[in-house]
Amino acid sequence: MQNESAGSNEDQTMNRRAAMGVVGALGVAAVAAPGIAQPLQRERVSNHLAGAWDDAKGEYVLPPLPYAYEALEPHIDAETMRIHHDRHHAGYVRGANAALARLAEIRNGSGDASLIQHWERQLAFHASGHINHAIFWATMAPAGSGGGGRPGGALGSAIERDFGSYDKFETHFKAAAASVEGNGWGWLVYEPVSRRLRVTQTMNQQNDGIQGAVQLLGVDVWEHAYYLRYQNRRGDYISAFMNVVNWPAVAARFEKVEA
């Protein structure tokens, strides 16, 4: 299925303090033993997505937003946030878990093995949508309260090294996101073979990325992410998004994979 998942979800009622704990946990990762190749660290596989998986149930979980629906105003409106998180993202979680269940039935002999390609594709699409969105929420913050500005420290230095300057990076990132064909994402990623930052595009939720790259920052350019406020003005939305990028959170992700 190549359409955005949609569904109904009750309004968010989870405690905001607990939600912030989820975001804080994004920076937690195991320390690798000396001599072990960095790309093999478990933290790189999980992308630090604490709260997005329930190990006891063996299911994907919808993390709460780490801020109120209206917190990113005026750049991203509350109604878009409510629909995007509670319906679209929740739909990906349901779709990924449904695919896991069907694949388990096939393994156990009670499912139709001729459909395994279908369910593997469903898992790739929905699980990728879930992970992409979990990163998206965690790497935004209200403007002036963590959101906006420019990165410093190791991440800022790496951006200058790999793109020439922050301004050149932003030009590249915004152009890549704006030119995604149809639906998809623009990404800042860490590519572990060259140990360099790259800007990439994703079509839909899972196509066209660099295999093995670690997602650091993504902007969702599916129309549901911006159409209520920006209609077809994708470029205006991407420019507004830059005002709510949580660079400290992005830097924490970078430092975990670059160490």
Side-chain angles (χ1 to χ4, degrees):
M1 178 176 66
Q2 296 299 306
N3 292 320
E4 270 290 329
S5 300
S8 60
N9 216 31
E10 294 184 359
D11 283 352
Q12 199 178 29
T13 56
M14 298 189 69
N15 186 281
R16 298 295 176 192
R17 186 173 299 170
M20 289 305 296
V22 171
V23 176
L26 293 173
V28 177
V31 177
I36 295 179
Q38 292 299 310
L40 298 181
Q41 292 182 28
R42 182 178 177 179
E43 66 188 42
R44 291 204 173 185
V45 176
S46 68
N47 283 337
H48 327 307
L49 297 180
W53 171 262
D54 187 321
D55 209 33
K57 294 181 179 179
E59 291 182 346
Y60 292 105
V61 177
L62 178 68
L65 284 175
Y67 31 70
Y69 295 114
E70 66 274 12
L72 304 184
E73 293 270 11
H75 306 292
I76 302 179
D77 62 281
E79 187 63 14
T80 292
M81 293 294 290
R82 187 184 304 274
I83 295 171
H84 197 170
H85 177 270
D86 294 1
R87 299 184 185 180
H88 291 287
H89 188 176
Y92 286 121
V93 174
R94 289 193 299 273
N97 288 333
L100 288 177
R102 300 293 83 76
L103 290 167
E105 291 174 357
I106 291 172
R107 289 194 301 274
N108 294 332
S110 59
D112 184 350
S114 71
L115 294 177
I116 194 165
Q117 183 183 73
H118 167 76
W119 289 114
E120 291 288 2
R121 287 175 173 172
Q122 288 290 290
L123 180 61
F125 178 74
H126 288 286
S128 294
H130 172 42
I131 293 166
N132 293 343
H133 282 87
I135 296 170
F136 185 55
W137 311 130
T139 51
M140 292 191 292
S145 299
R150 298 187 176 199
L155 176 60
S157 296
I159 286 175
E160 290 184 0
R161 177 196 67 197
D162 297 337
F163 298 99
S165 69
Y166 175 82
D167 289 335
K168 291 179 180 179
F169 153 72
E170 185 171 316
T171 296
H172 187 166
F173 180 79
K174 290 165 68 173
S179 62
V180 169
E181 293 182 328
N183 295 310
W185 297 74
W187 291 102
L188 171 66
V189 304
Y190 177 82
E191 194 280 285
V193 174
S194 64
R195 297 177 64 85
R196 292 292 185 268
L197 299 174
R198 310 288 184 203
V199 166
T200 65
Q201 297 173 317
T202 295
M203 290 182 64
N204 297 316
Q205 298 293 350
Q206 79 284 23
N207 298 320
D208 290 351
I210 298 174
Q211 293 296 314
V214 180
Q215 299 154 295
L216 302 178
L217 170 70
V219 56
D220 187 346
V221 294
W222 285 72
E223 285 188 347
H224 68 262
Y226 60 89
Y227 210 82
L228 286 181
R229 172 153 296 184
Y230 296 97
Q231 289 80 50
N232 64 334
R233 303 189 308 276
R234 181 188 280 185
D236 290 351
Y237 156 70
I238 296 167
S239 293
F241 167 80
M242 302 306 296
N243 293 305
V244 294
V245 173
N246 186 344
W247 285 115
V250 179
R253 293 176 62 77
F254 172 69
E255 290 165 8
K256 294 298 180 182
V257 298
E258 206 276 334

